[in-house]
Amino acid sequence: RLKNKSNWTYVALALLWLLVSLPLFLNYCMEGTELQYHLLRMEGLKDGLLSGQFPVRIQPNWMGGAGYAVSIFEGDAFLLFPALLRMVGLPVQTTYSLTIAMLNLTALLIAYNSFKGIFKDPVIGLIGSLLYVFAPYRLDTLYAKADLGESIAICFLPMLMYGCYRFLTQDLKKPENKYIWAHIALGLSALFQAHLTIFEIAVFWFALLCVLSWRKLFNKETVYQLSKLACAFLVLKSNFLRDTTTFLT
């Protein structure tokens, strides 16, 4: 079966996933500068769900049991996976390691599909995913800083890059390009939920790219897709934005 080129690609992706996840094959949890903070978020989300909250906004295990609105200031939808693992009884270290492994897999697959889609070549997609998941900044964020929020956001940057590339280079009137706005909206929503700083940087660069491609903006279909993109983003994040605004006011 490995005579098929696509099967070799799957084998290569599996080996890359194993290689980038090697630091997880330890009998202890690697210490990172923000490890305790994110472990506390995971535990707080679990405790909030067990107390009957959904979505969790006040995590009850903070401030000596008084609770803290950490979920208002930093989205935790992507932490539902480790929270559910803790609820079914997995140890904290195992849960954290599985979460990091899934982040590596997610970053690898999204990067592969994005680079392959841009260059129309699976080999370039594989090389691009290799360079992306082994980027020193990403590895430092994931293992040395143990910043789960930023690490999750980094997974979705190639998705947004691919969506912006298609939006600014493809003919939006073609049927296969009718839903590019949804591609970008999902990428921005994921960044917003994971890490607000990276979201703000991504919005800035997307706006800059649109300004540099201003000729393409003076087009009915482009304005239509931008309008749908903005509406879709607001709908996807309406609940979080409403709770945040209510809490701050």
Side-chain angles (χ1 to χ4, degrees), residues 17-224:
W17 182 32
L18 178 65
L19 188 59
V20 77
S21 301
L22 278 179
L24 303 175
F25 291 89
L26 301 170
N27 60 356
Y28 60 89
C29 192
M30 293 180 63
E31 179 69 24
T33 54
E34 297 189 27
L35 177 64
Q36 294 186 11
Y37 167 70
H38 290 289
L39 289 181
L40 194 59
R41 287 180 64 205
M42 289 163 46
E43 289 295 291
L45 187 58
K46 178 204 71 173
D47 293 342
L49 291 172
L50 291 175
S51 69
Q53 291 188 68
F54 188 81
V56 177
R57 290 293 178 255
I58 306 293
Q59 296 190 0
N61 62 329
W62 292 68
M63 303 299 181
Y68 182 60
V70 64
S71 298
I72 291 291
F73 302 108
E74 191 166 1
D76 52 16
F78 293 109
L79 294 184
L80 284 173
F81 173 72
L84 292 175
L85 293 181
R86 288 288 295 127
M87 290 173 67
V88 298
L90 267 67
V92 174
Q93 180 178 330
T94 303
T95 297
Y96 181 74
S97 297
L98 287 174
T99 302
I100 299 301
M102 292 307 299
L103 284 182
N104 284 332
L105 180 62
T106 303
L108 189 65
L109 294 178
I110 290 178
Y112 170 73
N113 284 291
S114 299
F115 287 112
K116 184 182 72 171
I118 291 174
F119 294 100
K120 311 299 181 185
D121 189 336
V123 175
I124 296 180
L126 196 60
I127 295 173
S129 61
L130 165 67
L131 295 175
Y132 192 75
V133 297
F134 284 96
Y137 183 83
R138 179 185 175 275
L139 294 179
D140 177 72
T141 301
L142 189 65
Y143 290 118
K145 288 171 60 179
D147 189 340
L148 276 184
E150 190 172 352
S151 298
I152 293 170
I154 289 174
C155 292
F156 294 96
L157 285 176
M159 175 191 290
L160 182 61
M161 176 188 67
Y162 182 32
C164 292
Y165 168 79
R166 293 181 63 202
F167 182 78
L168 296 174
T169 62
Q170 305 296 312
D171 184 359
L172 300 181
K173 295 181 180 179
K174 291 184 177 180
E176 62 269 22
N177 297 325
K178 287 177 59 177
Y179 298 102
I180 293 179
W181 61 270
H183 195 148
I184 301 175
L186 286 174
L188 288 175
S189 298
L191 293 182
F192 183 87
Q193 187 66 42
H195 200 273
L196 289 178
T197 303
I198 292 185
F199 167 77
E200 292 167 0
I201 294 172
V203 169
F204 169 78
W205 281 106
F206 178 60
L208 180 61
L209 287 173
C210 289
V211 171
L212 294 176
S213 306
W214 59 272
R215 286 187 178 89
K216 188 176 179 64
L217 294 182
F218 292 98
N219 181 286
K220 179 181 178 181
E221 185 64 29
T222 303
V223 174
Y224 183 49

